[in-house]
Amino acid sequence: MSQPSALSTNGLSRRKFMAGTVSAAAAAPLLASRAEATAPAAAQPKLRQPVITSLRINKQAYELSLDARTSLLDALRDHIGLTGTKKGCDHGQCGACTVLVDGKRVLSCLSFAVMNDGKDVTTIEGLASTDGKLHPMQQAFIDHDAFQCGYCTPGQIMSGIGCVNEGHAESENDIREYMSGNICRCAAYPNIVAAILQARGETKGA
Amino acid sequence: MRPFVYEQPTDISTAVAIASRFATDDDQPTRANAQFIAGGTNLADYMKLGVAEPNHLLDLNQLKEAALRQIQVTDGGIRFGALVRMGEAADHAEVNRRYPVIADSLRLAASGQIRNMASLAGNVLQRTRCEYFRETSWQCNKRVPGSGCAAMDGFNRQHAVLGVSDACIATYHGDFAQALIALDAVVHAEGGHGARKIPFAKLHRQPRDTPHVETDLAAEEIITAIEVPAIPWARRSLYLKIRDRESYAFALASAAVALDLDGETVREARIALGGVATVPWRAGAAEEALQGKKLDEASAGAAADAAFAGAHPRQHNAFKIELGKRTLVRALLETRDMKV
Ligand SMILES: Cc1cc2nc3c(=O)[nH]c(=O)nc-3n(C[C@H](O)[C@H](O)[C@H](O)COP(=O)(O)OP(=O)(O)OC[C@H]3O[C@@H](n4cnc5c(N)ncnc54)[C@H](O)[C@@H]3O)c2cc1C
Ligand code: SF4
Ligand code: FES
Ligand code: FES
């Protein structure tokens, strides 16, 4: 007889459990009303005063009260509970934290969240359509087994979409060069290139 | 990270005024209370590491002056707004046509994501990646003046062999700057004393005994544009970058070359070297050595010898002299053979 695991007995996967604690903790900084939010910011800004930041993430509006030092990556993961975007190096060297800002791929670890006020952010959670159909790039990564541990994968997929939309996925060499900002410790590189080649046509402009 | 007040000035003069308010007379931009941020790919990194500690962070991205975001092509050359992103300039058709060396230097730098974020002014002002500078527990004259230099007798494989001093041997790692110095670019800046133009070759300072003085800029001065003069023969130009891996790495050695040829004879050569010097490095002696000569393996080799005549290696970086010479020879011959 199989033993139920500790996590499945209370009906929660580890992933859901982690995400749950994060969004509960994030409830405080998520602000209720814009009026309440803008009042302090209008005055002369002071040290250690939270900064009100509006972000549109995966087409949903968020209003956050943040320590100005918070990176976009930490805002996504720790304040909003979107943990799909990964923290690898936290210093711009690995690409795991790649998201799209106003359609362009950037590193969320090197961007202060407050600098993205009013911008449109797309994370890995925002790619699949509401009916659960995966984005062609996500499907291609599955079809080509383009990962092993999966840690770099959200960043690879976001970067792959950016790479195609920038027009730099014309050849395999092009893809290798223009995807070099995404390190894969499991070295799934050949499969990643194959996945991007497959998704290229369907991704353009998507 | 030290806490900071975040501000978004909406025009250049306001940004200068705010920065002036917090600056003392001989304040260095990198040590000032108020510092500018553009892409943040260098500054945010150094703030996280505790190397940069501004109390006020002035975000330049809301400045309303449109020219800051434009690449203007004129008969007289090309003018890059300070906030143009690396990726945009690298992909620009006229930049590629007129100055391949510029497009190459940007395309071969950093990664797709970083090139989308990083501004051209921020790029030329990027600070060294010296490991001992990055980690605050080491002695470093650039980070803490007078504290010593842990790189001198440390693991200095990445360090410079040209333009070094007894106080600092940190490499200037940028690529774009090598193309700019070779092409005699001019930097436009606006500060408390108004607007001025700085020849690109005067923007960076060699370390000498004050390695914490990195540029000619005052603390409140903003770079507004970088202008490259018309050089019709710069269509025969390229940037060759040699690294530990094929992509997404800083140069161990690089060469920016532009050639004006009369058949195989050199009318004028422009040469700059990256990865080997403490500042963007124009190799004037190599240019002179080539002038009026037939460009072949022998004359290119002689030029490379001239370029590295004053090199000072330390324990782990002597290989850069040979690597730098071979890089330059290859770059010269490849430029000669370009179909333009
Ligand atoms: C992993 C990694 C790899 C990299 N590889 C390369 C490479 O191979 N080649 C290469 O050349 N670079 C490389 N870089 C460096 C990168 O190109 C620079 O970080 C970037 O160009 C800096 O531009 P920014 O706009 O992000 O600057 P910021 O970080 O915003 O600013 C940098 C500095 O410039 C100042 N500044 C910015 N704009 C202005 C202005 N208009 N006026 C006055 N001061 C200003 C800031 O105060 C700060 O001191 C790499 C970086 C990383 C993280
Ligand atoms: S080489 Fe320069 S930057 Fe590096 S530790 Fe020495 S003084 Fe500091
Ligand atoms: S976590 Fe941002 S690049 Fe590594
Ligand atoms: S799949 Fe493991 S790091 Fe890329």
Side-chain angles (χ1 to χ4, degrees):
Chain A
M1 204 200 278
S2 70
Q3 289 286 320
S5 79
L7 278 175
S8 65
T9 46
N10 60 15
L12 279 177
S13 70
R14 178 177 167 276
R15 180 180 301 253
K16 281 195 183 125
F17 174 74
M18 301 255 303
T21 50
V22 169
S23 50
L30 281 165
L31 289 175
S33 81
R34 179 77 190 165
E36 188 188 345
T38 42
Q44 187 78 344
K46 290 204 191 76
L47 218 52
R48 295 186 192 281
Q49 185 174 284
V51 183
I52 311 305
T53 305
S54 310
L55 298 171
R56 249 174 81 78
I57 300 164
N58 303 329
K59 304 204 169 77
Q60 201 180 319
Y62 291 85
E63 194 122 303
L64 304 173
S65 169
L66 296 172
D67 184 317
R69 291 171 287 185
T70 312
S71 66
L72 177 59
L73 175 60
D74 287 345
L76 290 170
R77 291 181 55 85
D78 301 346
H79 294 263
I80 299 172
L82 291 172
T83 54
T85 307
K86 299 302 179 212
K87 183 182 285 192
C89 63
D90 212 18
H91 288 279
Q93 299 174 4
C94 74
C97 66
T98 304
V99 299
L100 304 181
V101 173
D102 290 345
K104 292 224 150 125
R105 54 178 171 158
V106 301
L107 301 176
S108 58
C109 72
L110 286 187
S111 187
F112 291 113
V114 294
M115 292 176 69
N116 294 278
D117 189 60
K119 300 226 166 112
D120 242 309
V121 182
T122 308
T123 70
I124 189 76
E125 290 91 342
L127 292 184
S129 41
T130 38
D131 63 4
K133 187 170 183 302
L134 295 180
H135 184 284
M137 192 64 78
Q138 291 175 303
Q139 189 57 52
F141 268 65
I142 294 174
D143 294 347
H144 290 274
D145 204 11
F147 46 82
Q148 202 175 110
C149 76
Y151 197 81
C152 71
T153 312
Q156 299 280 3
I157 290 176
M158 300 314 292
S159 190
I161 293 171
C163 178
V164 170
N165 287 336
E166 287 160 20
H168 292 308
E170 298 311 308
S171 66
E172 291 193 23
N173 274 345
D174 231 18
I175 294 172
R176 276 190 212 99
E177 171 61 38
Y178 284 87
M179 287 293 292
S180 69
N182 291 80
I183 308 291
C184 177
R185 205 66 186 81
C186 304
Y189 297 113
N191 306 33
I192 293 170
V193 173
I196 294 174
L197 279 174
Q198 173 181 315
R200 189 170 63 179
E202 295 165 88
T203 294
K204 278 188 187 136
Chain B
M1 192 188 303
R2 178 187 289 188
F4 57 84
V5 172
Y6 173 72
E7 296 190 59
Q8 292 174 298
T10 52
D11 56 65
I12 294 171
S13 58
T14 309
V16 169
I18 300 175
S20 303
R21 196 160 9 107
F22 296 103
T24 53
D25 268 356
D26 54 355
D27 230 359
Q28 292 307 308
T30 52
R31 308 170 66 78
N33 268 317
Q35 295 180 24
F36 304 118
I37 190 161
T41 61
N42 193 241
L43 186 55
D45 187 18
Y46 278 134
M47 288 168 70
K48 285 185 178 190
L49 291 168
V51 170
E53 301 189 298
N55 294 317
H56 286 257
L57 197 59
L58 308 183
D59 184 349
L60 299 179
N61 295 295
Q62 304 305 320
L63 298 180
K64 63 168 195 278
E65 290 86 351
L68 289 168
R69 290 175 196 79
Q70 291 167 353
I71 299 176
Q72 288 166 347
V73 183
T74 60
D75 287 349
I78 206 157
R79 186 182 184 283
F80 296 97
L83 291 176
V84 170
R85 268 39 193 181
M86 289 170 74
E88 194 194 331
D91 286 347
H92 193 279
E94 279 303 302
V95 175
N96 279 274
R97 199 176 68 84
R98 296 186 184 203
Y99 309 100
V101 62
I102 295 182
D104 288 351
S105 72
L106 290 164
R107 192 171 42 77
L108 298 175
S111 68
Q113 292 95 315
I114 293 171
R115 293 193 296 270
N116 281 344
M117 302 172 78
S119 68
L120 297 182
N123 181 278
V124 302
L125 294 174
Q126 65 179 283
R127 304 183 71 195
T128 184
R129 312 286 298 189
C130 167
E131 297 87 339
Y132 303 100
F133 171 78
R134 286 176 67 78
E135 163 53 54
T136 57
S137 60
W138 295 101
Q139 299 170 306
C140 169
N141 288 324
K142 195 186 273 302
R143 189 167 25 73
V144 182
S147 64
C149 170
M152 217 51 90
D153 298 309
F155 189 57
N156 43 35
R157 177 175 178 273
Q158 301 284 350
H159 288 72
V161 294
L162 293 168
V164 297
S165 74
D166 290 341
C168 179
I169 55 172
T171 301
Y172 174 82
H173 289 282
D175 296 301
F176 180 45
Q178 311 304 343
L180 294 175
I181 199 169
L183 298 174
D184 279 336
V186 172
V187 174
H188 292 246
E190 238 174 278
H193 303 288
R196 65 170 174 141
K197 292 184 195 177
I198 310 163
F200 195 83
K202 295 249 163 73
L203 180 65
H204 294 84
R205 298 257 185 101
Q206 287 188 34
R208 303 207 165 82
D209 52 3
T210 52
H212 63 286
V213 181
E214 296 178 17
T215 66
D216 194 50
L217 295 174
E220 86 293 349
E221 240 174 346
I222 295 179
I223 293 183
T224 55
I226 299 167
E227 206 172 328
V228 181
I231 307 175
W233 46 267
R235 289 169 77 162
R236 183 181 296 286
S237 68
L238 59 73
Y239 187 70
L240 177 65
K241 181 173 177 183
I242 305 299
R243 315 173 243 191
D244 278 325
R245 60 182 179 204
E246 183 62 25
S247 184
Y248 198 24
F250 290 97
L252 288 172
S254 72
V257 170
L259 292 176
D260 183 11
L261 295 182
D262 178 5
E264 292 200 336
T265 306
V266 178
R267 263 195 294 254
E268 188 174 348
R270 300 287 185 86
I271 300 171
L273 302 173
V276 293
T278 54
V279 288
W281 195 263
R282 181 85 175 257
E287 294 177 358
E288 276 164 39
L290 282 172
Q291 187 137 21
K293 302 263 162 59
K294 178 167 182 278
L295 179 52
D296 54 21
E297 197 125 12
S299 63
D305 287 341
F308 284 89
H312 288 284
R314 304 289 304 182
Q315 189 182 356
H316 302 288
N317 64 356
F319 77 98
K320 282 194 173 183
I321 297 176
E322 186 59 27
L323 185 67
K325 287 183 187 178
R326 292 187 192 191
T327 304
L328 177 53
V329 169
R330 194 177 127 192
L332 285 166
L333 299 178
E334 284 184 12
T335 312
R336 179 195 66 186
D337 296 339
M338 280 174 81
K339 305 254 175 296
V340 295

